[in-house]
Amino acid sequence: MSSRVMSVAGTFYPNSCQEIKKYITKFDAMQKTEVKPKFEPKAIISPHAGYVYSGFTANCAYKLIDKSKFKRVVVVGPSHRIYMKGASIALYDKYDTPCGAVPIDIEYSKKLMQKYDVLGFANDMHKEHSTETQIPFIKHYFPETKIVEIVYGDIDYKELALVVKEVLDEPETLLVISTDLSHFHTLKEANKVDGLCIEGIKKLDMRLLNSGCEACGLLGVKALISVAKESQVIDYRTSYDASGDDKRVVGYLSVLVR
C-alpha cells in the first residue's frame, strides 16, 4: 500500500504517539473557559505551527466537533516549499502518523480531481507541514474517519472555493482549512494586523480580508469565507504566549464554520 509519509514528525510535533497524547492532555488542562458551539460546524480553521506554539489553539477547535457526525475529513493547506500552479490532492492509500496510519479516501479524492481541473497530483507537494500537523489531531479525535489532503499553490481563491463548497455540501464530511496569521511583527503590530483577519472571518467580510489581513493560508480562508454561512472564533493567540518574545511573533487562530 502507498503511504503519505510523515515529513515533520519530530520537529513540528512529536514523533511519538505517547508524547502527542501528552500534548493533547496538556492542552485540555490549559483551557480554563468552556466554549460551546453556536451552531453545528461543518468546517474549522486551524493553525499549523509547532505544537508548542499553536497546538493549544488548534485543539480548542478540534475538541468541539462531534466526532460521531463525520466519516471523512478533508484537510486543505498552502504549500510552503514547492511551487505548483493549482493544487495537489493526495493519491495514496494511507497517511502515516506516530499513532498509526489513517486511511485516505482515495475514491473521493479521485472524484474531486476528475471534476475540478485545478486539482492534480504532485508527490513533492505532499511533504507539507500545513496539512500534516492537522493529522495527529484528526487521528486522536476522529479515529474512524478517512482523510483527504489538498495542498494548494498558485491558485485563484474562487477556483478553490468551488472545491470547498462541494466539500461543505458533502454529508458526514468535515473540512479543515489550515493557516497561520501574521509573521514576525511586534506583538502590538501583530494584534493589529491579525485583528483585520479576525473581523473579516467573524463577519464573513471579504473586504476586511482584503484590507491588510496577513495569513500564509489566506487563499484557503478566502475560499471558505466566500461560501460560508456563519463563523465562530474560538481562540486567538501569538507565539508570544509560548516564547515570551514580543519582537517577532506569529499569530494563530481557530474558528468553527458552517
Side-chain angles (χ1 to χ4, degrees):
M1 296 178 70
S2 60
S3 296
R4 196 295 199 179
V5 298
M6 295 175 284
S7 60
V8 294
T11 53
F12 280 75
Y13 62 90
N15 194 17
S16 157
C17 187
Q18 183 179 6
E19 292 303 313
I20 289 171
K21 291 182 182 298
K22 282 184 180 178
Y23 259 117
I24 292 175
T25 300
K26 178 183 176 182
F27 297 149
D28 287 342
M30 287 169 58
Q31 192 163 359
K32 305 301 181 185
T33 304
E34 183 181 359
V35 179
K36 294 184 178 180
K38 297 178 181 178
F39 50 82
E40 193 171 289
K42 279 283 291 174
I44 67 171
I45 297 173
S46 175
H48 57 238
Y51 282 14
V52 68
Y53 296 108
S54 70
F56 173 80
T57 298
N59 190 68
C60 285
Y62 277 107
K63 68 183 294 184
L64 292 176
I65 306 298
D66 183 350
K67 65 177 181 292
S68 69
K69 295 188 180 297
F70 299 103
K71 294 183 179 179
R72 178 194 298 124
V73 182
V74 178
V75 183
V76 179
S79 175
H80 287 79
R81 298 173 55 255
I82 305 295
Y83 175 84
M84 179 181 180
K85 185 73 174 175
S88 179
I89 192 164
L91 298 182
Y92 311 98
D93 297 303
K94 59 188 177 72
Y95 204 122
D96 293 338
T97 85
C99 295
V102 182
I104 287 177
D105 193 334
I106 190 72
E107 183 178 342
Y108 186 66
S109 298
K110 287 180 177 178
K111 174 187 171 183
L112 288 175
M113 189 173 72
Q114 289 165 2
K115 185 170 181 178
Y116 296 99
D117 291 340
V118 73
L119 296 178
F121 172 62
N123 185 65
D124 285 347
M125 289 284 279
H126 299 280
K127 298 173 182 176
E128 173 55 49
H129 73 270
S130 72
T131 44
E132 184 177 329
T133 50
Q134 311 301 325
I135 310 304
F137 285 110
I138 294 167
K139 176 68 173 174
H140 179 82
Y141 285 107
F142 310 94
E144 304 303 319
T145 60
K146 294 183 178 181
I147 62 170
V148 173
E149 179 185 53
I150 299 174
V151 181
Y152 62 85
D154 184 358
I155 192 172
D156 187 322
Y157 84 85
K158 293 178 182 177
E159 291 182 299
L160 187 58
L162 297 175
V163 181
V164 165
K165 181 64 165 61
E166 172 140 340
V167 171
L168 288 176
D169 290 342
E170 193 76 24
E172 299 180 311
T173 300
L174 177 70
L175 173 66
V176 177
I177 298 291
S178 176
T179 190
D180 291 338
L181 297 184
S182 65
H183 285 57
F184 310 136
H185 296 294
T186 64
L187 179 61
K188 182 178 179 181
E189 183 64 20
N191 288 336
K192 178 181 177 181
V193 173
D194 293 344
L196 295 171
C197 304
I198 293 169
E199 285 303 301
I201 291 168
K202 276 183 179 179
K203 298 176 180 178
L204 307 181
D205 189 332
M206 297 296 290
R207 181 186 61 82
L208 286 173
L209 291 178
N210 288 326
S211 67
C213 169
E214 295 179 15
C216 54
L218 185 56
L219 292 175
V221 171
K222 286 182 175 181
L224 175 59
I225 294 307
S226 69
V227 298
K229 298 175 182 176
E230 194 173 357
S231 67
Q232 179 184 355
V233 172
I234 300 302
D235 188 68
Y236 166 71
R237 63 193 56 233
T238 71
S239 57
Y240 169 77
D241 294 276
S243 71
D245 179 1
D246 64 357
K247 301 295 188 292
R248 284 168 57 84
V249 308
V250 179
Y252 311 116
L253 178 73
S254 59
V255 186
L256 303 183
V257 182
R258 70 175 183 92

